[in-house]
């Protein structure tokens, strides 16, 4: 059987790795990015270090988000979830990190991020949190199943708009802002570009959340 074809992002990562010292931090992070779907924890840990020490600036990137998008080939929301999920495990579930080298895989980073949100959201009771944790850690439910349970809990407690609804509201506001800025001739061009970039980022996030909201359930 032939191996699966590489994506454009994977090919770019491979090409860049060929130019780097395998002992360098930059190479090791790219290696983690190449295989993060199989083991996301290592990449989450390394990205936290990149952000903390500003390593991306040494490698020619003005900001952390640009580094993630252009070199690691992951979008800003994914990078945020990876780093927040790792930090959450480090602080709340260190025993899970202790098993990172075992054959048994750790939970999906997106599910861990939902667990983090549940811990921080006052709408979730202790029993709610325990039930969600049990589904993620003990029962090893798939992310679509966990996501549905999380949303059901929010809906039951009248916790306000969903992330998709909030993102759509923000997108509408950003579009109105961009249209207003376009009518002010005295503003510098980069103000309009920043507004357009914000609209594009929010549009991408809406599309991502739309896909996530229709994921199949076990």
């Amino acid at each position: 059987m032939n191996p699966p074809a590489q994506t454009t992002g994977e090919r770019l990562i491979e090409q860049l790795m060929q130019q780097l010292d395998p002992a360098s931090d930059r190479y090791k992070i790219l290696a983690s990015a190449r295989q993060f779907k199989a083991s996301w924890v290592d990449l989450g840990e390394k990205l936290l270090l990149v952000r903390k020490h500003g390593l991306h600036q040494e490698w020619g990137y003005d900001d952390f988000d640009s580094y993630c998008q252009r070199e690691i080939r992951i979008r800003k929301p994914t990078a945020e979830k990876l780093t927040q999920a790792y930090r959450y495990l480090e602080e709340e579930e260190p025993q899970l990190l202790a098993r990172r080298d075992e054959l048994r895989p750790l939970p999906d980073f997106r599910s861990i991020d939902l667990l983090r949100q549940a811990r921080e959201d006052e709408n979730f009771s202790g029993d709610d949190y325990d039930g969600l944790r049990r589904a993620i850690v003990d029962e090893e439910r798939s992310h679509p199943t966990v996501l549905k349970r999380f949303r059901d809990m929010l809906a039951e407690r009248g916790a306000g708009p969903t992330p998709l609804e909030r993102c759509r509201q923000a997108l509408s506001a950003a579009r109105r802002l961009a249209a207003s800025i376009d009518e002010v001739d005295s503003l510098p061009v980069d103000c309009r570009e920043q507004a357009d970039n914000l609209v594009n980022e929010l549009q991408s996030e809406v599309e991502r959340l739309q896909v996530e909201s229709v994921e199949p359930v076990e």
Side-chain angles (χ1 to χ4, degrees):
M1 181 181 295
N2 294 327
Q6 288 184 314
T7 65
T8 300
E10 289 170 338
R11 288 195 297 272
L12 289 171
I13 286 176
E14 290 279 3
Q15 292 168 7
L16 185 52
M17 289 175 68
Q18 292 172 8
Q19 305 170 27
L20 299 172
D21 178 359
S24 68
D25 288 335
R26 190 176 183 182
Y27 181 97
K28 292 175 182 177
I29 295 169
L30 284 167
S32 296
R34 185 177 56 181
Q35 60 183 1
F36 95 91
K37 288 187 177 179
S39 178
W40 63 266
V41 174
D42 189 53
L43 181 57
E45 180 181 27
K46 286 181 169 62
L47 288 180
L48 273 177
L49 292 175
V50 170
R51 173 181 279 171
K52 179 179 179 180
H53 298 294
L55 298 179
H56 53 83
Q57 295 176 340
E58 299 177 13
W59 303 330
Y61 297 96
D62 292 334
D63 56 74
F64 179 73
D65 295 337
S66 296
Y67 163 73
C68 289
Q69 292 173 7
R70 292 164 54 193
E71 180 155 326
I72 303 300
R73 314 301 294 184
I74 59 175
R75 296 175 58 249
K76 178 179 178 180
T78 301
E80 287 294 329
K81 287 185 178 181
L82 277 169
T83 54
Q84 290 178 346
Y86 180 82
R87 184 184 290 114
Y88 181 81
L89 286 184
E90 196 174 41
E91 295 174 353
E92 301 288 342
E93 301 281 353
Q95 74 280 2
L96 290 181
L97 284 180
R99 80 178 202 204
R100 63 194 297 178
D101 295 325
E102 298 177 7
L103 293 177
R104 182 183 175 191
L106 288 170
D108 190 301
F109 71 96
R110 296 169 298 175
S111 296
I112 294 296
D113 190 62
L114 291 178
L115 194 60
R116 176 192 64 79
Q117 293 179 49
R119 172 68 85 189
E120 297 174 356
D121 193 329
E122 61 183 15
N123 291 293
F124 283 81
S125 67
D127 288 342
D128 291 334
Y129 175 85
D130 291 341
L132 193 64
R133 183 191 183 281
R134 187 162 51 250
I136 295 170
V137 177
D138 300 327
E139 300 171 5
E140 299 183 348
R141 298 292 184 182
S142 69
H143 176 65
T145 300
V146 172
L147 179 63
K148 182 178 184 301
R149 181 175 298 193
F150 180 85
R151 287 175 173 164
D152 288 345
M153 288 178 174
L154 285 177
E156 289 171 3
R157 285 147 189 78
T162 66
L164 176 57
E165 291 168 342
R166 287 196 295 268
C167 198
R168 281 174 172 161
Q169 293 169 0
L171 176 58
S172 295
R175 283 172 172 163
R176 291 194 298 270
L177 174 63
S180 297
I181 288 176
D182 218 24
E183 296 175 356
V184 182
D185 296 331
S186 59
L187 287 175
V189 174
D190 60 348
C191 287
R192 301 180 189 183
E193 292 177 348
Q194 290 172 15
D196 289 339
N197 289 338
L198 177 59
V199 169
N200 292 335
E201 283 287 331
L202 286 167
Q203 180 63 53
S204 296
E205 182 66 0
V206 165
E207 292 170 358
R208 184 190 70 80
L209 290 171
Q210 285 175 328
V211 171
E212 194 174 70
S213 69
V214 296
E215 286 179 309
V217 178
E218 283 185 337

